[in-house]
Amino acid sequence: NTAIFFVMLWLFYVALASWKVQTPDADEGMQVVATIVGVMGIGVGMVVIAGIIHCIGGMRSAQHAAAKDHIEAALWEHQTRLDNVQQAALKAAATNGIKASPRGKGSLSKAVSELRAHLNGLDQVCSSLEAAVAAQQKVPLVDPGPNRRNLKAKATE
């Protein structure tokens, strides 16, 4: 509000000085009326400008609130889907006779090692398919990258 007030005072000064230059024969009564009208104009101008700034701030905060609600909804949906996947995995494990032990021992460890072996097999199939496509298109093979190399190393452990 202080910045608005100082800008309005400066505009009032410039307007009053310009008016006085344009009408040098103005008497004291006209000058007093011009000053009173100008002071009231400063008050009205401050209210209008502050109202506009407040409305713009309100619209921005409404946009931020809507974006926050959208993000929260997406996070809630993600958590719900994750919970559903975890529940389905536990049901599948129970259906196949795999019991999860609290310390990662027993049949769950066996299931993880079997899954790792299956993933290694899938990696080998993908590599051979990539080699076949590369040979067919005469394109050099792409480096499998660190993730696939790490998978192969873990599978051999």
Side-chain angles (χ1 to χ4, degrees):
N1 282 339
T2 305
I4 296 170
F5 180 66
F6 281 130
V7 169
M8 295 296 292
L9 279 177
W10 178 77
L11 289 173
F12 170 64
Y13 170 74
V14 170
L16 195 60
S18 298
W19 174 77
K20 183 64 178 153
V21 169
Q22 294 292 328
T23 56
D25 56 345
D27 61 351
E28 286 107 20
M30 287 181 67
Q31 291 177 5
V32 169
V33 169
T35 304
I36 292 173
V37 169
V39 169
M40 289 191 315
I42 288 174
V44 170
M46 283 185 61
V47 169
V48 169
I49 292 173
I52 290 171
I53 291 172
H54 181 71
C55 288
I56 290 172
M59 288 188 308
R60 285 187 180 168
S61 65
Q63 288 174 344
H64 288 293
K68 182 180 176 184
D69 291 343
H70 182 71
I71 290 170
E72 286 176 353
L75 287 173
W76 180 81
E77 182 179 345
H78 172 72
Q79 186 62 42
T80 303
R81 287 184 181 183
L82 182 62
D83 290 344
N84 291 341
V85 167
Q86 288 173 346
Q87 289 173 0
L90 289 175
K91 283 182 184 178
T95 303
N96 293 327
I98 300 172
K99 294 182 181 178
S101 66
R103 296 191 180 160
K105 296 180 181 176
S107 57
L108 187 58
S109 304
K110 183 180 176 186
V112 170
S113 64
E114 288 177 8
L115 179 63
R116 200 171 270 148
H118 287 297
L119 289 175
N120 188 32
L122 286 173
D123 184 50
Q124 290 174 358
V125 169
C126 287
S127 295
S128 64
L129 286 173
E130 287 173 348
V133 168
Q136 199 174 37
Q137 296 178 353
K138 296 180 179 145
V139 176
L141 284 176
V142 179
D143 182 34
N147 290 337
R148 288 181 61 193
R149 275 190 240 122
N150 290 340
L151 182 64
K152 287 180 184 178
K154 286 181 181 178
T156 58
E157 293 176 355

